[in-house]
Amino acid sequence: MSFPKDFLWGSATSSYQIEGAWQEDGKGPNIWDVFSHTPGKVLNGDTGDVAIDHYHRYRDDVSLMADLGLQAYRFSFSWARIIPDGTGAIEKRGLDFYDRLIDALLEKNIHPMATLYHWDLPAVLQDKGGWTHRDSASWFADYSAVVHDAFSDRVKMWATLNEPWVSAFLGHGIGIHAPGIKDPVAAFAAAHHLLLGHGKAVQAMRAQSSDSQLGIVLNLAPVYLEGDAPDDHPAHTSVALHDAILNGLWTEPLLRSHYPDLLLQLGDVVTGNIKDGDLGIISEPIDWMGINYYQDIRFVPSDVTPSADPMNPPGTDLPGTVGVEPAPAIGNVTSFGWSTTPDGLRALLVTLDGEYDNLPPIFITENGCAYDYPVEDGVVNDTLRVTYMHEHLTALLEAIKEGVDVRGYMHWSLFDNFEWAEGYRQRFGMVHVDFDTQVRTPKQSALFYARVIADNGLPSA
Ligand code: IFM
């Protein structure tokens, strides 16, 4: 049950979810500040104003990471903390915070693994159209160059974007995330500009240093149709579209320099954004790919009207939503209602490896689950999270044994934190956080994970 030598073990967070200090040291507002302050957008009116106050407690948090034996820490930079207006003037106090954080990590021999964008676009840029504006790609590349220039002496692993599918489709397609737009045209425009921004950022950072390991983080998953549907039922096309939007929309342009044919068949909504040369920029070679995996995506066929066309859904619905509904959750269903399907991780990795000759080395950059367990006598006995970790790490090991080049695993998340539209209700942390007192208590899963790291392997079940 051992992992390869030099396998990198760590944990992940993101700026808006943990930092707080939303108006401190010159930070500008970002789209999540705006969204969470808009009544009705986030459960219980929760915001990231304070979050888990990592901005002030980072030093203790890094000590806790060291106590657990973490070898790497995946965090993201807050764009609006560094460039409050999104473009132009740099806020030195923002850079200084990350400077202190990175030094604190290195003092404890923890590799900083940086993400440049984890969904917190400066609000000023949203006012100009955000990711639906073609210039967003250049705004992002310029910002990336500023941050990379400041820290590439000490940070070697860089991801451009975290889960661009979420930014594009939850932020612009169904609108449950910032900036809260529900419009398929905006969603596909955002998707293309995010990809273009990634490619331009890679080019800009590569020009600054050939030493940096540059990558992107995608949330990918196998997509299945379960149950019986006649051959002419739209569920088949819908599931293929869902798969193309979740997976192929990202892997195909990045690794094959083209969009999936099925998506091109949607016409102008997709093709209208693509200009000559874009795909060459998007497919700029990368050194690694991050994969965030939580669960398989499973649908069952639903009743449809005879005229229902999955390629042209009614109103502002997204392609791929006609004639299907989510299948009931399976496994140790999480507090979020998500399934646990560990073999999906193995299947995903083996499929990608078979599909792409040029698949770069993989890091699992997120994997985790939300369960709520109380602190009792200083102990949080989160048995289902331990089970989740054990099952997913077993599946990962199987994929590695089947030949997939996986170099590391970052558990999501280190701390309980702000879970976007769900506010503080969903607790993904290995470390419990009392959101009133900010007291941190490592859960049993953290202690289990510390053992896995120390042994570079799993205890037998
Ligand atoms: O909390 C998020 C994270 O920001 C991105 N990936 C999924 C996690 C759980 O929903």
Side-chain angles (χ1 to χ4, degrees):
M1 299 298 269
S2 288
F3 280 79
K5 188 172 163 293
D6 297 332
F7 195 80
L8 191 64
W9 294 102
S11 192
T13 65
S14 87
S15 47
Y16 190 75
Q17 293 178 273
I18 65 165
E19 285 179 3
W22 76 294
Q23 286 184 309
E24 228 168 294
D25 290 341
K27 175 183 163 292
N30 62 49
I31 56 174
W32 270 96
D33 293 317
V34 175
F35 193 74
S36 67
H37 285 221
T38 308
K41 297 297 184 190
V42 175
L43 190 76
N44 300 324
D46 290 343
T47 71
D49 294 4
V50 177
I52 65 162
D53 197 30
H54 174 74
Y55 190 77
H56 300 111
R57 295 166 192 260
Y58 74 92
R59 202 165 272 288
D60 289 345
D61 288 344
V62 171
S63 294
L64 203 153
M65 294 175 211
D67 292 345
L68 296 176
L70 297 194
Q71 300 163 347
Y73 173 55
R74 175 172 178 249
F75 66 97
S76 76
F77 292 101
S78 158
W79 185 341
R81 206 179 275 297
I82 295 173
I83 307 181
D85 289 334
T87 58
I90 297 168
E91 173 51 74
K92 185 168 175 314
R93 289 170 295 175
L95 281 179
D96 286 348
F97 166 65
Y98 295 107
D99 195 69
R100 294 192 296 273
L101 171 65
I102 290 163
D103 280 348
L105 291 166
L106 292 173
E107 273 167 31
K108 301 275 186 192
N109 285 320
I110 299 171
H111 288 285
M113 191 186 216
T115 302
L116 286 154
Y117 185 71
H118 197 124
W119 310 348
D120 43 1
L121 189 76
V124 179
L125 297 183
Q126 189 59 43
D127 295 341
K128 297 180 181 163
W131 291 107
T132 67
H133 195 306
R134 191 173 162 86
D135 287 355
S136 56
S138 304
W139 303 332
F140 176 64
D142 292 347
Y143 150 71
S144 300
V146 167
V147 183
H148 185 259
D149 184 48
F151 301 119
S152 59
D153 57 337
R154 283 161 291 157
V155 177
K156 294 302 161 205
M157 286 197 71
W158 293 83
T160 52
L161 307 172
N162 180 71
E163 301 184 359
W165 175 87
V166 173
S167 302
F169 290 92
L170 299 193
H172 301 76
I174 57 175
I176 59 167
H177 274 203
I181 295 167
K182 184 170 166 46
D183 172 10
V185 175
F188 281 104
H192 184 69
H193 299 142
L194 282 154
L195 281 166
L196 189 60
H198 154 82
K200 284 182 177 240
V202 168
Q203 290 180 335
M205 293 189 283
R206 191 86 77 206
Q208 291 175 329
S209 156
S210 55
D211 227 27
S212 298
Q213 297 290 301
L214 307 179
I216 185 170
V217 170
L218 305 175
N219 55 309
L220 306 176
V223 180
Y224 301 115
L225 178 63
E226 296 185 339
D228 290 331
D231 288 352
D232 61 351
H233 194 287
H236 298 288
T237 306
S238 276
V239 165
L241 278 164
H242 196 100
D243 182 27
I245 290 173
L246 181 65
N247 298 306
L249 172 56
W250 315 100
T251 54
E252 288 290 292
L254 289 163
L255 299 175
R256 288 213 178 103
S257 205
H258 76 79
Y259 276 112
D261 291 340
L262 187 60
L263 297 185
L264 294 175
Q265 285 170 33
L266 294 173
D268 206 43
V269 65
V270 172
T271 55
N273 301 306
I274 310 169
K275 303 251 185 299
D276 278 356
D278 285 1
L279 282 153
I281 296 170
I282 292 169
S283 57
E284 188 69 36
I286 47 179
D287 304 301
W288 60 279
M289 184 180 275
I291 294 181
N292 295 352
Y293 176 81
Y294 288 87
Q295 58 169 337
D296 286 348
I297 306 298
R298 299 158 39 254
F299 290 103
V300 290
S302 66
D303 292 341
V304 280
T305 53
S307 61
D309 176 3
M311 301 291 277
N312 287 299
T316 55
D317 288 353
L318 287 167
T321 48
V322 166
V324 284
E325 57 189 53
I330 54 172
N332 293 323
V333 179
T334 73
S335 62
F336 220 145
W338 294 1
S339 297
T340 55
T341 50
D343 190 59
L345 176 58
R346 184 202 60 77
L348 171 70
L349 292 170
V350 170
T351 304
L352 283 170
D353 192 50
E355 186 74 20
Y356 295 103
D357 289 343
N358 60 341
L359 189 71
I362 300 292
F363 286 80
I364 302 303
T365 33
E366 287 182 28
N367 172 241
C369 50
Y371 294 112
D372 194 1
Y373 288 89
V375 186
E376 286 172 333
D377 298 329
V379 175
V380 183
N381 198 9
D382 56 339
T383 46
L384 285 178
R385 184 171 290 97
V386 174
T387 303
Y388 184 98
M389 280 182 172
H390 202 291
E391 289 179 347
H392 284 78
L393 290 173
T394 303
L396 182 57
L397 204 45
E398 282 167 14
I400 293 171
K401 285 188 180 143
E402 288 183 49
V404 188
D405 183 4
V406 185
R407 306 267 175 102
Y409 174 90
M410 307 293 127
H411 190 76
W412 185 274
S413 180
L414 179 56
F415 300 109
D416 292 335
N417 59 43
F418 177 82
E419 178 54 31
W420 308 111
E422 287 284 305
Y424 293 96
R425 176 166 67 175
Q426 304 299 341
R427 290 179 174 268
F428 275 90
M430 291 189 286
V431 175
H432 181 277
V433 178
D434 180 321
F435 298 121
D436 295 324
T437 61
Q438 298 295 353
V439 168
R440 276 83 160 133
T441 308
K443 305 178 189 179
Q444 290 305 106
S445 55
L447 308 183
F448 170 79
Y449 193 52
R451 266 205 342 266
V452 170
I453 298 174
D455 296 349
N456 194 37
L458 283 168
S460 35

